[in-house]
């Protein structure tokens, strides 16, 4: 079941500069959202807070599965993931990078391997499986990040500019992987982007960060 | 000059015919320094990692202290341990003075700050995005720490090798607490000091050659590891 999240009165202040100011918004379960806005408006900050990497200065976020509010615990953390703009590739093989999320969940070796191969297949990196991941090109690294995120079957998937600075071909692979997660798993997906056309291709709803708050585009 | 040349000749002969006294000394050196290093790594790696990963009051003071201890003068360490281990010392009842164990303790004390301090530096230099990535993939605190430490593995290995280089060449501390007793506590460095004193240059030179080769080996390994690290960080930086 996908997760919905309700942001209420959220503010984030970094050393006395206000980035998000008393923002309230509800992301519906199973929808795809594109968050847009100029550089430095707070998209990444919002995604880091929503993925529990950072806590807000004030206000709160509630996560729901259906009508049940979920407690902030390891279980909740493991229902979601965020693809960071810098990805954070581990200095090991491509395969081990993908396997990581499943290993720390204590799954069986066989199922870890099978699921990871499947994820690598989906992003077209099977042939790079046993190579050191730091040697991949930046487009391939992005695809690896996608594989690493989707292998854990998140119910809430967040992606921070998943196709910035990569070519058309890589963008297509990444986008089709995102659409596939949407169709197969009906996960809630929130991605930030600077491209309106990409937002239109992927998202059900486009959200703008304006005046340190979120506002929805009517379409 | 002739003196040195003939010394070299005899030294090589000693090495080539695997002189048993020579072998015993080398073996003890490796055993003492190796054991000290294992101990120092077992304590120093977790300590250095903890210092880097955990935020607590006085942390920077602890790090400064550790950095200061990196340069502990071996003779001073030897002196303090001597006082502790001698009959009237508080650990005198263990009768460890003039045994290889006392030497291991001395070298552990000397190498621990090096291992811990360089581990701290290695773990601290891991890109913060690694911590975030591990978190986003569902790692708990412990698993996140492991992921970060794993990224620092090359630097940690370099820390251990650097510490080994220091203790294998050290003479002050082990001479004081070990006593350089033939067949019991005589190691390469103490033997070189004594044989030189006695004018017995062949054995001293033979040991010197071996010690130098060992140092060369260690530094080559360190160099290789560091080169490898450079390549990786260049790749990561782009
Ligand atoms: N850890 C931090 N400490 C201090 N200031 C920060 C921190 N993180 C972000 N900021 C500031 O918060 C503001 C919003 O940054 P953020 O990265 O969220 O913007 P963004 O919308 O993602 O921009 P971009 O489109 O360039 O990625 C910026 O002014 C930035 O300088
Ligand atoms: Mg950003």
């Amino acid at each position: 079941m996908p997760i919905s999240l309700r942001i209420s009165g959220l503010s984030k202040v970094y050393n006395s500069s206000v980035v998000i100011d008393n923002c309230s918004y509800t992301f519906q379960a199973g929808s795809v959202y594109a968050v847009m806005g100029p550089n430095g408006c707070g998209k990444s900050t919002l995604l880091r807070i929503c993925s529990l990497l950072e806590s807000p200065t004030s206000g709160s976020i509630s996560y729901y599965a259906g009508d049940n509010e979920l407690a902030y615990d390891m279980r909740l953390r493991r229902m979601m993931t965020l693809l960071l703009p810098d990805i954070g590739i581990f200095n090991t093989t491509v395969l081990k990078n993908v396997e990581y999320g499943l290993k720390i969940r204590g799954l069986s070796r066989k199922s870890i391997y099978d699921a990871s191969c499947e994820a690598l297949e989906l992003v077209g990196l099977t042939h790079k499986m046993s190579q050191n991941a730091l040697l991949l090109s930046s487009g391939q690294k992005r695809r690896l990040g996608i594989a690493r995120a989707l292998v854990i079957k998140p119910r809430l998937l967040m992606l921070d500019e998943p196709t910035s600075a990569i070519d058309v071909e890589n963008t297509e692979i990444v986008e089709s992987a995102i659409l596939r997660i949407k169709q197969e798993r009906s996960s809630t997906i929130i991605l930030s982007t600077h491209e309106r056309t990409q937002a239109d291709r992927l998202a059900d709803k486009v959200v703008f960060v304006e005046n340190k708050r979120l506002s929805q585009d009517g379409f | 000059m002739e003196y040195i040349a003939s010394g070299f000749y005899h030294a090589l002969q000693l090495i080539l015919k695997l002189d048993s006294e020579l072998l015993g000394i080398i073996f003890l050196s490796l055993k003492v320094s190796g054991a000290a290093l294992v101990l120092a790594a077992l304590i120093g790696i977790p300590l250095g990692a903890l210092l880097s990963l955990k935020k607590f009051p006085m942390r920077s003071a602890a790090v400064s202290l550790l950095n200061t201890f990196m340069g502990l003068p071996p003779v001073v360490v030897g002196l303090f341990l001597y006082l502790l281990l001698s009959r009237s010392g508080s650990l005198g009842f263990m009768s460890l003075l003039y045994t290889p164990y006392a030497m291991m303790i001395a070298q552990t004390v000397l190498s621990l700050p090096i291992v811990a301090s360089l581990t701290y530096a290695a773990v601290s230099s891991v890109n913060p995005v690694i911590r975030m990535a591990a978190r986003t993939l569902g790692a708990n605190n412990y698993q996140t720490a492991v992921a970060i430490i794993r990224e620092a593995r090359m630097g940690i290995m370099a820390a251990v090798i650097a510490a080994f280089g220091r203790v294998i060449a050290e003479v002050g501390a082990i001479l004081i607490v070990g006593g350089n007793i033939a067949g019991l506590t005589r190691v390469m460095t103490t033997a070189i000091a004594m044989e030189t004193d006695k004018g017995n240059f062949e054995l001293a030179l033979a040991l010197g050659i071996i010690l130098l080769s060992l140092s060369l080996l260690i530094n080559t390994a360190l160099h290789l590891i560091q080169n490898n690290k450079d390549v990786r960080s260049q790749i990561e930086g782009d």
Side-chain angles (χ1 to χ4, degrees):
Chain A
M1 188 187 286
I3 294 176
S4 65
L5 76 169
R6 192 161 77 209
I7 298 174
S8 32
L10 190 82
S11 298
K12 183 73 191 184
V13 183
Y14 285 119
N15 349 298
S16 79
S17 89
V18 181
V19 179
I20 298 168
D21 185 20
N22 193 21
C23 161
S24 297
Y25 190 82
T26 300
F27 291 98
Q28 308 283 353
S31 295
V32 179
Y33 291 84
V35 178
M36 299 194 68
N39 289 131
C41 69
K43 302 180 295 296
S44 298
T45 304
L46 182 75
L47 288 177
R48 283 198 303 270
I49 295 173
C50 288
S51 61
L52 300 176
L53 278 180
E54 273 176 37
S55 38
T57 310
S58 63
S60 66
I61 307 181
S62 311
Y63 300 82
Y64 298 89
D67 290 334
N68 295 333
E69 183 170 351
L70 303 166
Y72 276 38
D73 56 12
M74 214 48 220
R75 242 187 85 226
L76 174 61
R77 276 182 175 283
R78 289 188 171 175
M79 289 178 194
M80 61 171 99
T81 190
L82 164 65
L83 175 61
L84 297 158
D86 305 327
I87 311 166
I89 300 277
F90 300 128
N91 182 0
T92 180
T93 64
V94 170
L95 177 66
K96 286 204 172 120
N97 262 276
V98 179
E99 288 183 330
Y100 181 78
L102 300 177
K103 262 192 195 142
I104 57 177
R105 284 166 171 76
L107 272 68
S108 77
R109 262 185 114 133
K110 174 95 175 89
S111 66
I112 290 176
Y113 179 77
D114 291 347
S116 302
C117 288
E118 198 184 317
L120 281 172
E121 183 84 56
L122 194 70
V123 297
L125 283 179
T126 308
H127 63 297
K128 297 277 182 188
M129 200 154 84
S130 37
Q131 187 182 309
N132 186 298
L134 295 178
L135 300 171
L136 294 178
S137 77
S138 52
Q140 291 166 335
K141 279 180 185 160
R142 206 59 72 92
R143 274 147 60 190
L144 173 59
I146 296 273
R148 213 167 61 165
L150 63 86
V151 77
I152 60 185
K153 302 198 176 356
R155 292 157 66 172
L156 169 59
L157 172 64
M158 290 162 277
L159 310 107
D160 195 352
E161 299 194 31
T163 60
S164 70
I166 60 175
D167 66 14
V168 183
E169 200 182 319
N170 278 290
T171 301
E172 268 170 19
I173 297 173
V174 169
E175 285 188 2
S176 68
I178 294 171
L179 286 174
R180 191 151 153 185
I181 301 165
K182 180 196 172 182
Q183 279 152 15
E184 283 183 3
R185 303 198 42 85
S186 67
S187 306
T188 309
I189 300 175
I190 307 172
L191 60 100
S192 67
T193 179
H194 283 289
E195 276 180 76
R196 181 66 210 219
T197 51
Q198 177 174 60
D200 291 340
R201 279 197 299 275
L202 297 175
D204 302 316
K205 297 183 185 97
V206 181
V207 185
F208 291 92
V209 184
E210 266 172 348
N211 305 322
K212 299 167 185 175
R213 293 185 192 179
L214 287 176
S215 65
Q216 196 172 315
D217 193 22
F219 103 97
Chain B
M1 199 58 220
E2 204 178 306
Y3 212 37
I4 294 179
S6 87
F8 256 109
Y9 176 71
H10 286 288
L12 283 177
Q13 271 187 330
L14 274 180
I15 295 171
L16 289 177
K17 74 172 194 243
L18 299 173
D19 181 78
S20 71
E21 191 189 354
L22 189 74
L23 282 182
I25 292 173
I26 297 168
F27 184 66
L28 186 65
S29 274
L30 291 175
K31 204 168 83 176
V32 167
S33 297
L37 209 66
V38 169
L39 267 175
L42 283 178
I43 308 168
I45 294 173
L47 182 68
L50 211 68
L51 272 177
S52 167
L53 297 173
K54 272 256 182 244
K55 303 230 173 335
F56 55 88
M58 308 276 287
R59 180 168 77 159
S60 62
V63 174
S64 303
L65 197 70
L66 209 57
N67 284 330
T68 310
F69 282 169
M70 267 179 91
L72 278 179
V75 281
V76 176
V77 171
L79 172 63
F80 272 105
L81 263 183
Y82 183 91
L83 293 175
L84 270 177
L85 297 177
S86 66
R87 267 193 211 298
S88 52
S90 46
L91 296 177
F93 67 92
M94 296 171 84
S95 341
L96 289 177
L97 203 61
Y98 303 137
T99 67
Y101 296 108
M103 297 152 73
M104 286 175 198
I105 296 171
Q107 296 207 330
T108 304
V109 172
L110 282 172
S111 52
L112 180 62
I114 300 176
V115 174
S117 184
L118 296 181
T119 297
Y120 168 83
V123 174
S124 301
S125 70
V126 170
N127 190 337
V129 77
I130 291 294
R131 175 196 290 263
M132 293 210 280
R135 284 235 158 260
T136 61
L137 295 172
N140 59 29
N141 290 340
Y142 173 74
Q143 290 164 335
T144 304
V146 171
I148 296 169
I149 293 167
R150 200 177 289 155
E151 289 301 303
R153 62 188 178 272
M154 289 297 180
I156 293 173
M157 214 191 294
V160 173
I161 291 177
F164 188 71
R166 162 138 185 183
V167 291
I168 196 77
E170 179 275 325
V171 59
I174 41 173
L175 188 59
I176 295 177
V177 300
N180 193 32
I181 302 165
L184 182 62
T185 60
R186 181 162 300 163
V187 292
M188 285 194 272
T189 52
T190 55
I192 291 173
M194 188 195 66
E195 301 298 345
T196 307
D197 221 29
K198 287 199 313 200
N200 188 1
F201 296 120
E202 284 144 36
L203 188 56
L205 267 175
L207 287 163
I209 291 169
I210 290 165
L211 198 55
L212 267 176
S213 322
L214 217 63
S215 281
L216 189 70
L217 207 72
I218 292 165
N219 281 304
T220 310
L222 200 61
H223 188 73
L224 284 178
I225 287 175
Q226 264 155 4
N227 260 9
N228 188 294
K229 214 170 61 178
D230 287 348
V231 171
R232 291 263 179 271
S233 59
Q234 268 169 25
I235 292 163
E236 202 161 21
D238 74 14

